[in-house]
Amino acid sequence: MSSTSQKHKEFVAEPMGEKPVMALAGIGEVLGKRLAEKGFDKAYVVLGQFLVLKKDEELFRDWLKDTCGANAKQQGDCYGCLKEWCDAFL
């Protein structure tokens, strides 16, 4: 597995609670704002979409690209972050 960012490590280390969408690895200020404008203002709302898509990497990456314009690295970082969080907490 590729190395993970500090942001990723911090996110997967604890329950999600009310963390903002920008707490997700791969989601910065610009993508976070785009997601929030579409109703995905909290990390748990993006997690809900991740689960609706049955944790399927290709479907989630496509959704993220279509919803906020995330590039391949951002898609992969966000997917990996949510997958690892689910593996730890679900």
Side-chain angles (χ1 to χ4, degrees):
M1 184 175 178
S2 62
S3 65
T4 55
S5 66
Q6 187 63 34
K7 191 174 181 182
H8 175 110
K9 291 173 186 169
E10 289 172 2
F11 189 85
V12 301
E14 62 188 13
M16 197 173 303
E18 294 286 326
K19 289 181 182 178
V21 70
M22 289 180 286
L24 289 163
I27 306 299
E29 193 172 334
V30 173
L31 296 183
K33 185 176 180 187
R34 290 179 191 162
L35 285 165
E37 287 170 354
K38 295 186 178 179
F40 297 91
D41 59 331
K42 300 286 186 184
Y44 69 81
V45 183
V46 177
L47 172 66
Q49 184 65 28
F50 179 76
L51 295 174
V52 165
L53 297 172
K54 299 182 179 182
K55 300 190 259 185
D56 181 277
E57 183 172 4
E58 184 178 352
L59 291 175
F60 182 74
R61 282 173 168 264
D62 287 346
W63 173 82
L64 206 54
K65 180 178 68 178
D66 294 343
T67 303
C68 67
N71 67 32
K73 181 179 184 331
Q74 293 162 330
Q75 295 163 25
D77 289 350
C78 190
Y79 171 82
C81 182
L82 287 171
K83 181 175 184 328
E84 188 172 329
W85 188 92
C86 286
D87 290 346
F89 291 100
L90 293 183

